[in-house]
């Protein structure tokens, strides 16, 4: 069998668990998008052209408020800058044929989960990567459509209950990391306290959503980085040993 086909099928199989997870999370995004006034096709088009989960959830909250273009730009840069570093890391493992416009497509499809699977490959071929990306992209778009469609059909009480799923998603993402890395607990606490302050404290509660999200993320990350810096000594010694 053609090696390209084999790699594509291998990527498809690796992308099935990611696609199933995206289907449920994007379903919630579709519901939230309808709640904030978007149409079914607007919500679906956003998921089809961005693939940036947290950035989409933050974006739709600011869309109904006029004049927040700068705030949205800052928040989206803060939330999505991690993809630039993921792309750089993956680019070190691409085969020679994975160049030019193919790298642009790599930048479009990359997500946290696709990165995690791709970085485990010794060499990333075009066929494997696009096999890996196919089902997650379809799952994210389809889930958004279904959530947005049902958002126009289901009763408001059911919609309100389903809207809570977004909080469950973030808890599911953060808690496992908190168990492995204790400093993350401190980062979460600091971010939560800052977010509460931006919600209830006079004067600063007037700060827009986009700016407040960026401040919470940056300040909590900087404080934890200062108090609990990562020790690179072991990694450096390992790398030197390997070089020898």
């Amino acid at each position: 069998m053609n090696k390209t086909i084999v790699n594509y099928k291998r990527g498809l199989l690796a992308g099935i668990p990611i696609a199933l997870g995206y289907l449920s999370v994007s379903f919630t995004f579709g519901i939230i998008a309808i709640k904030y006034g978007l149409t079914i096709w607007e919500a679906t088009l956003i998921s089809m052209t961005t693939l940036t989960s947290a950035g989409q959830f933050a974006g739709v909250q600011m869309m109904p408020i006029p004049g927040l273009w700068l705030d949205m730009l800052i928040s989206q840069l803060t939330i999505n800058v991690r993809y630039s570093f993921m792309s750089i890391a993956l680019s070190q493992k691409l085969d020679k044929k994975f160049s030019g416009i193919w790298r642009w497509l790599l930048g479009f499809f990359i997500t946290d989960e696709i990165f995690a699977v791709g970085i485990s490959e010794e060499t990333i071929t075009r066929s494997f990567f696009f096999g890996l990306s196919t089902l997650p992209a379809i799952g994210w778009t389809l889930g958004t459509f279904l959530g947005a469609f049902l958002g126009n059909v289901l009763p408001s009480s059911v919609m309100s209950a389903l809207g809570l799923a977004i909080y469950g998603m973030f808890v599911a993402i953060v808690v496992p990391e908190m168990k492995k890395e204790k400093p993350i607990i401190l980062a979460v606490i600091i971010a939560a306290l800052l977010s509460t302050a931006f919600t209830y404290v006079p004067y600063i509660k007037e700060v827009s959503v986009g700016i407040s999200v960026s401040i919470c993320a940056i300040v909590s990350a900087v404080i934890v980085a200062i108090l609990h810096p990562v020790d690179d000594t072991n990694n450096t010694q390992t790398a030197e040993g390997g070089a020898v």
Side-chain angles (χ1 to χ4, degrees):
M1 186 179 293
N2 188 292
K3 189 175 181 181
T4 299
I5 297 176
V6 171
N7 283 331
Y8 183 77
K9 287 184 174 180
R10 192 165 60 87
L12 277 178
L13 291 175
I16 290 175
I18 300 175
L20 293 175
Y22 282 2
L23 191 66
S24 59
V25 175
S26 61
F27 183 89
T28 304
F29 171 73
I31 292 174
I32 297 296
I34 293 299
K35 177 182 176 182
Y36 281 98
L38 275 68
T39 66
I40 295 175
W41 298 113
E42 287 171 341
T44 304
L45 186 61
I46 288 174
S47 284
M48 190 182 295
T49 56
T50 55
L51 295 174
T52 175
S53 59
Q56 292 178 220
F57 281 103
V60 295
Q61 295 181 53
M62 289 185 282
M63 285 181 181
I65 306 173
L68 293 183
W69 299 107
L70 180 60
D71 297 27
M72 184 176 290
L73 174 63
I74 294 174
S75 66
Q76 293 301 313
L77 285 174
T78 304
I79 294 170
N80 296 320
V81 69
R82 70 188 189 279
Y83 294 128
S84 299
F85 299 107
M86 292 179 190
S87 297
I88 293 172
L90 284 179
S91 68
Q92 308 306 306
K93 292 196 167 191
L94 303 182
D95 70 358
K96 294 181 179 179
K97 294 182 179 179
F98 209 145
S99 60
I101 192 164
W102 297 105
R103 295 201 177 203
W104 294 10
L105 295 172
L106 163 66
F108 173 77
F109 283 112
I110 189 170
T111 65
D112 301 82
E113 293 76 15
I114 289 176
F115 168 79
V117 175
I119 200 68
S120 64
E121 290 285 301
E122 184 175 344
T123 301
I124 304 173
T125 63
R126 293 181 300 183
S127 52
F128 172 81
F129 184 82
F130 287 107
L132 176 63
S133 305
T134 298
L135 293 180
I138 293 173
W140 185 257
T141 303
L142 178 61
T144 299
F145 172 79
L146 293 175
F149 175 76
L150 292 176
N152 282 326
V153 177
L154 296 176
S156 58
S157 58
V158 176
M159 289 293 299
S160 178
L162 289 174
L164 294 176
I166 181 62
Y167 301 106
M169 181 195 75
F170 287 121
V171 169
I173 292 173
V174 173
V175 170
E177 296 302 319
M178 292 171 64
K179 291 181 179 179
K180 292 187 291 185
E181 300 287 344
K182 299 302 181 183
I184 295 179
I185 299 176
L186 178 60
V188 171
I189 292 174
I190 294 172
L193 291 174
L194 287 172
S195 180
T196 302
F198 279 114
T199 303
Y200 296 107
V201 175
Y203 300 111
I204 67 171
K205 71 178 183 180
E206 304 300 326
V207 176
S208 65
V209 175
I211 300 297
S212 63
V213 167
S214 299
I215 292 175
C216 292
I218 294 172
V219 171
S220 60
V222 169
I223 292 176
V224 172
I226 293 173
L227 296 179
H228 299 279
V230 176
D231 185 5
D232 289 333
T233 304
N234 293 333
N235 293 336
T236 302
Q237 291 175 349
T238 302
E240 291 175 350
V244 173

